[in-house]
Structures are given as C-alpha cells and as structure tokens.
C-alpha cells in the first residue's frame, strides 16, 4: 500500500521545494548537486506517494530509504544514513527512485582525512567568519567522522575594519639570520573572487637585498582570513610564499616569506610593514 498523507489531505509540497525541483512529484534535497560531502551524513528528500524509495550511488546496489517521515513541511520525507567515505575520494552521482522510477539525482564530491573510520582522535581548528562578525572552533566528532561548530564568539574586528586598515601602500623592512635584510614594500588591494566574495591581494611586492629579482610580476589573492598567505612570482621567475600576520588591533602587519624556487631558493625572512592608512586608523 502506497504511503499517503492524512486521510482526505493532499500531498503538502512547500512552494520553495516545488520551485526548486525539476520533478513535481518529489525531490532529493541532500546532497545538493555539485556539493561536497565527507564523514557520516544523510541522503534525504521527499516524495508524494510511493511504496518504496531507493537510492543508487554510481553503480552500487540500490538501498532502501526510510520513508514517510513527518518533518513539519511535509509528511512524505525520506532519509538514509550513510558514510560518504566508503564511496572513495572523487565525484559520485546518486539517483533517487520511487517504485523503481528515477525522480531526481545529484552529483557530489567526496574527500576525507582518512578513508578508514578514525577512532580516538582529538583535533580542533579555529576559524573566522568576518562576514558574520564571528569566530568559532571546529571540533572533531568521531560519531560523524567530521568537524562540528563550537565555542562561537564575536570577532574583535569586522571585515570592513580589515579592509579599511590594510588596503593601501605598505612599507617596512625584513630581516633574517642568513642575511643582512632589506626593505619590504607592497600594495594591499581589495579584490572580488567569484563565488567567494571580497578579499585582499598583495600587489607590487618589493623585497630588496635577497640576491634575486626585487619586484613581483604576479601574486595570488588571500583566500581566507584564517590562512593569510599569498603565492608570489618575482620578475626572474622565483616563487615566494608569503604569510601575513596582523595584530588584533590591526595596527601592524608582520609575516614571513620563503623563496621556494629560483637563485634564492631556501632564503626566508621575517618582515614588518605599516600601511599609510594604519598610521591614522584606530580600530
């Protein structure tokens, strides 16, 4: 006997679900198409009226999902708990079938720290979310083989504070135990990364007295405020990795650099620079 809603009731389909589904009868909501998955998670969605809901990942045997779950917006939900890691790293496709007929599908990418079930590991990492003015700690949870958000607190500064304090011409010096040091200059610019939002990018980097070309010809944007680094290529082709560190009051920018290729390969140093704007900025 097929699953239905309450006697006399219609299949309740929330408007936003119907609008986002290519199939009027139901939808696979998790995983989303082109999403990233790891650890232990759920295949879930809804379907109006069926005897059985099955899920097929790639060419694996079909698995039957629990069906008929009341969830507030509809009483026709389905779900199947699974370890995404068993599919292996890479791109996979899941197909959702109602009584043997496909009604939705999604492609997702899997990656993991270890393909095996990790036991007894204690791991955490701090992250910043300047768009929301928050920072948090991600704690490893063995039961889901992944990280969960904990210890959410306010950031001392906003993303606008960072841009206001750091964008502009920055000048300073660098030093090293292996060299007499020299000057370290750059421009810090605000740039837009498609799909990622606004971030910072150092340009016109000048590092004197290294024995290599002093000026940069190419730089990469900083992709995260938790990883303030940039890959720089000097005019002679030397590759330099630069990591930035800002004080909590954003009054000074320090950091380290290392030449990964070229005549100066292996040379590293620490630098301190002050933006022209920082001299008149109070955070």
């Amino acid at each position: 006997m097929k699953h239905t809603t309450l006697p006399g009731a219609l299949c309740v389909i929330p408007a936003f679900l119907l609008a986002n589904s290519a199939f009027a009868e139901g939808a696979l909501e998790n995983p989303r198409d082109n999403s990233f998955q790891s650890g232990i998670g759920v295949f879930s969605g809804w379907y109006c009226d069926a005897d059985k809901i099955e899920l097929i990942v790639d060419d694996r045997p079909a698995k039957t999902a629990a069906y008929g779950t009341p969830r507030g917006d509809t009483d026709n939900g389905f779900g199947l708990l699974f370890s995404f890691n068993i599919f292996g790293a890479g791109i996979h496709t899941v197909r959702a079938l109602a009584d043997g007929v496909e009604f939705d599908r999604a492609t997702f990418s899997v990656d993991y720290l270890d393909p095996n079930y990790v036991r007894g590991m204690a791991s955490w990492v701090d992250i910043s979310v300047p768009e929301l003015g928050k920072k948090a700690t991600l704690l490893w949870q063995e039961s889901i083989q992944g990280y969960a958000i904990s210890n959410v607190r306010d950031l001392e500064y906003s993303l606008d504070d960072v841009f206001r304090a750091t964008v502009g011409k920055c000048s300073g010096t660098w030093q090293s135990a292996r060299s007499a040091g020299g000057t370290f200059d750059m421009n810090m610019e605000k740039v837009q990364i498609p799909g990622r939002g606004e971030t910072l990018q150092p340009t016109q980097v000048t590092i004197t007295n290294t024995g290599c070309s002093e000026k940069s010809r190419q730089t990469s944007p900083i992709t995260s405020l938790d990883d303030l680094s940039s890959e720089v290529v000097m005019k002679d082709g030397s590759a330099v990795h630069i990591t930035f560190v800002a004080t909590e009051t954003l009054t000074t920018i320090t950091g380290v650099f290392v030449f990964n290729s070229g005549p100066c390969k292996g040379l590293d140093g620490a630098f301190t620079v002050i933006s022209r704007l920082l001299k008149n900025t109070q955070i």
Side-chain angles (χ1 to χ4, degrees):
M1 181 175 180
K2 291 189 176 183
H3 172 80
T4 59
T5 54
L6 295 174
L10 297 175
C11 176
V12 179
I13 305 174
F16 77 92
L17 293 179
L18 186 58
N20 291 328
S21 175
F23 301 87
E25 293 284 328
L28 174 68
E29 296 173 312
N30 292 294
R32 303 293 287 184
D33 198 30
N34 298 317
S35 64
F36 295 87
Q37 306 294 328
S38 64
I40 296 173
V42 175
F43 293 94
S44 64
W46 58 273
Y47 193 86
C48 268
D49 192 11
D51 285 327
K52 182 168 64 173
I53 300 296
E54 295 175 301
L55 296 162
I56 299 176
V57 176
D58 300 329
D59 295 322
R60 293 171 177 264
K63 297 292 184 180
T64 301
Y67 179 48
T69 306
R71 51 179 234 182
D73 55 0
T74 178
D75 291 339
N76 300 278
F78 65 83
L80 177 64
L81 189 69
F82 231 99
S83 172
F84 285 99
N85 292 2
I86 68 172
F87 302 132
I91 298 175
H92 303 276
T93 298
V94 56
R95 296 184 291 131
L97 288 72
D99 298 332
V101 179
E102 180 179 332
F103 64 91
D104 208 351
R105 65 168 58 197
T107 297
F108 58 93
S109 179
V110 170
D111 212 341
Y112 39 68
L113 299 176
D114 191 306
N116 302 309
Y117 191 94
V118 179
R119 300 180 185 276
M121 183 173 77
S123 176
W124 65 90
V125 60
D126 289 324
I127 63 168
S128 300
V129 188
E131 294 86 352
L132 299 178
K134 301 292 184 180
K135 59 184 178 181
T137 300
L138 300 183
L139 286 177
W140 175 261
Q141 303 291 289
E142 183 174 312
S143 61
I144 63 172
Q145 292 292 286
Y147 289 86
I149 296 174
S150 69
N151 192 24
V152 178
R153 59 260 193 215
D154 292 332
L155 270 176
E156 294 83 0
Y157 48 82
S158 68
L159 192 58
D160 287 339
D161 290 333
V162 174
F163 290 147
R164 185 172 66 252
T166 58
V167 170
K169 177 69 176 178
C170 302
S171 299
T173 60
W174 71 273
Q175 57 186 356
S176 170
R178 301 171 54 187
S179 172
T183 60
F184 189 104
D185 301 321
M186 65 180 179
N187 283 343
M188 190 66 83
E189 299 181 4
K190 182 169 68 172
V191 297
Q192 184 84 23
I193 300 179
R196 299 287 296 273
E198 293 180 322
T199 187
L200 295 167
Q201 181 169 353
T203 62
Q204 301 179 39
V205 177
T206 300
I207 311 174
T208 67
N209 201 31
T210 63
C212 289
S213 178
E214 296 183 349
K215 297 184 180 298
S216 66
R217 75 180 187 204
Q218 180 180 333
T219 63
S220 68
I222 294 170
T223 58
S224 167
L225 292 185
D226 297 299
D227 181 19
L228 297 172
S229 63
S230 176
E231 302 298 334
V232 177
V233 179
M234 308 304 282
K235 288 190 173 180
D236 63 357
S238 300
V240 187
H241 180 81
I242 301 178
T243 300
F244 301 95
V245 178
T247 61
E248 289 193 358
T249 57
L250 300 179
T251 55
T252 306
I253 300 175
T254 64
V256 294
F257 66 85
V258 58
F259 280 80
N260 290 324
S261 70
C264 303
K265 182 177 181 180
L267 175 65
D268 57 9
F271 64 86
T272 302
V273 298
I274 297 177
S275 168
R276 291 177 183 175
L277 297 178
L278 286 172
K279 296 177 181 178
N280 300 313
T281 300
Q282 190 73 30
I283 302 299

